[in-house]
Amino acid sequence: MNPLMERRLRQLRSRVLVRSWEYRQRQHARGAWFRLRRVLTFAAEAYIVSPDDARQLVAEGRRPEPAGDEFEPPKLIVFATRERVARLRGARPVPVRLTRDLLAATCLVLVPFVTPASRGRTRRA
Amino acid sequence: MMVDSQWAFRPAGHHTPADARPPARFAWRLWAWAEAERGRERVAGCHYRPGWGDDVARWTWPTALPILVVVTFRDRLLATIRAAKPVLEAPGVMVVGSEVPNLLEPGAAATLIVSQDLDVGVPVEHHAEVKRQVAELHAFRASPEEPSVWVPREPGLLEVNFIGMDPTQDPAEAYVLDDDQLPLLVFGALSLVSPGVELDLMETRVRLPRAAGLVLEKLVTDRTGEKGERDLLVALGLLMTATPDDIDEVEIMFRRLRPELRHVVRSNLTILSLLEARPGMPDPGPHRADVAALLRRLEGEEGSDP
């Protein structure tokens, strides 16, 4: 076998092994990154807010996203409508990406995409 | 905000005349354009069986001097197709990989900036026939370093990269089909790919894969680094032209994958959703709602697990 092809094959198989190892850890700490990305995928917009504002949103009945608890320091992540976010003074919009600002934030409010089905299943937003 | 997504929550296999056409937001521009142009012949030797016409629209976030890059690259891509005709028309052969969305762009506009090669998928059961046709590739010669890559003998052409496809293979596996003349690295993920539309380009019949299989092939493959992220944006380009039927097919094929591979698909969708725009590639920003809807749809009752 051509040595280069053999090396590529070995590399491919190594990546598959690593991927399987990561998959087996999906419910453990390593899976936290997937869960954070997943939550962000469903967010049309993201805002950094103060801890007081975040706690207020929770007090109003919004459930913190469990993905936020899996980081140190923990992140309080809640979904809310854009209208509700507009009433939060000091809410700072950030791109919905794994930027330094977003990762450093301890309190995030996400505005969900609204689809026909998600309207039916959305918790209080 | 109300987002009307074609991908959201329509059970697979349930079609009504109303939702069969036209496809909604994600592909509507291309669909409407293709419908309007149906039947019109293209210039420059490109005849699209589905009836796509002359205009060259772009899907991608433009580069500083896009026209210079695009015209040159498109010319090279089409010239490569013409020069590779003997193998492209061999039984079972398909163009796979990053050039597929370039060819699916209206007028084969080829505005995606991808690597400068043409991936040619060779079914292992047709290897012998393709090998015979390789002898007719006068414009190329096998690379001494990597014999599955054929490099152009003259400027103005792209490399031709032969890749093995074995429909019986596990999508996570790979093997080498060893051969003195045309060895192939056979990628398991390409077992998800099946023949789809045929294009007439430069008097060459070019088979492309069905969109659903190629999208899943992109999403089921481990993607890391700049190349990996660009590959995900290629998947986005394919999704941008997908019809509702294609998305139904993605869902059906997704459910047949084993849990680990389903997880990889979902994971890659989350990565795709959070990618930054890159020059010369489809911008994920305007399509994030559709990616979210697709992810939601694939998860279905399964929820976020496994």
Side-chain angles (χ1 to χ4, degrees), chain A residues 1-2 4-6 8-9 12-13 15-16 19-20 23 26-27 34 37-38 40-45 82 96-98 112-119 121, chain B residues 1 3 9 145-147 172 174-176 178 183-185 187 220 222 259-261 263-264 266-267 270-271 273-274 276 288-289 292 295-296 299 304-306:
Chain A
M1 186 191 302
N2 175 285
L4 274 175
M5 290 188 114
E6 192 175 8
R8 283 182 71 192
L9 187 60
L12 272 170
R13 287 178 172 161
R15 286 206 293 272
V16 169
R19 195 173 72 186
S20 295
Y23 174 70
R26 71 196 180 284
Q27 306 291 16
F34 166 70
R37 290 198 311 270
R38 181 179 173 277
L40 294 174
T41 296
F42 294 124
E45 299 165 29
R82 184 180 296 131
V96 190
R97 289 198 304 274
L98 296 178
F113 292 113
V114 179
T115 62
S118 69
R119 276 180 300 164
R121 77 165 67 169
Chain B
M1 181 176 64
V3 174
F9 316 108
E145 293 86 19
E146 172 59 74
Y175 68 89
V176 171
D178 216 359
L184 296 174
L185 190 50
F187 292 91
V220 89
D222 196 36
E260 180 179 335
L261 297 177
H263 180 79
V264 174
R266 291 167 53 222
S267 179
T270 66
I271 292 170
S273 166
L274 304 180
E276 272 190 288
R288 291 192 61 246
L295 178 60
R296 180 94 65 193
E299 290 183 344
S304 59
D305 234 352

Side-chain angles (χ1 to χ4, degrees), chain B residues 105-299:
Chain B
E105 278 191 282
T111 63
L112 275 72
I113 295 179
V114 291
S115 54
Q116 298 195 8
D117 55 3
L118 183 68
D119 288 341
V120 175
V122 178
V124 291
E125 67 270 26
H126 293 299
H127 178 259
E129 293 141 286
V130 176
K131 197 168 106 172
R132 275 196 297 277
Q133 292 302 107
V134 158
E136 304 297 317
L137 283 184
H138 304 300
F140 305 88
R141 59 180 168 78
S143 158
E145 293 86 19
E146 172 59 74
S148 64
V149 174
W150 286 56
V151 294
R153 292 182 188 274
E154 56 196 56
L157 298 174
L158 308 176
E159 292 177 3
V160 175
N161 187 16
F162 291 97
I163 300 168
M165 303 188 298
D166 181 348
T168 65
Q169 197 184 5
D170 183 284
E173 287 295 324
Y175 68 89
V176 171
L177 194 162
D178 216 359
D179 185 87
D180 288 342
Q181 190 183 349
L182 186 63
L184 296 174
L185 190 50
V186 184
F187 292 91
L190 284 172
S191 65
L192 299 168
V193 164
S194 59
V197 68
E198 284 188 8
L199 308 178
D200 279 347
L201 294 168
M202 308 301 284
E203 299 175 348
T204 304
R205 195 176 68 249
V206 179
R207 282 185 211 89
L208 300 182
R210 291 178 70 82
L214 194 58
V215 165
L216 272 187
E217 185 269 333
K218 293 282 173 207
L219 292 175
V220 89
T221 307
D222 196 36
R223 304 289 175 195
T224 52
E226 178 66 18
K227 169 75 166 71
E229 294 185 354
R230 283 185 171 264
D231 280 342
L232 288 178
L233 294 175
V234 169
L236 178 65
L238 293 165
L239 288 168
M240 285 165 62
T241 53
T243 65
D245 287 349
D246 293 329
I247 300 301
D248 287 347
E249 195 176 333
V250 167
E251 183 181 1
I252 291 166
M253 294 178 73
F254 172 84
R255 304 227 175 278
R256 289 188 196 136
L257 296 173
R258 62 172 186 269
E260 180 179 335
L261 297 177
R262 291 204 301 268
H263 180 79
V264 174
V265 170
R266 291 167 53 222
S267 179
N268 276 330
L269 282 174
T270 66
I271 292 170
L272 170 58
S273 166
L274 304 180
L275 287 180
E276 272 190 288
R278 284 168 164 74
M281 299 301 285
D283 180 359
H287 305 295
R288 291 192 61 246
D290 298 291
V291 173
L294 178 60
L295 178 60
R296 180 94 65 193
R297 180 171 167 177
L298 294 183
E299 290 183 344

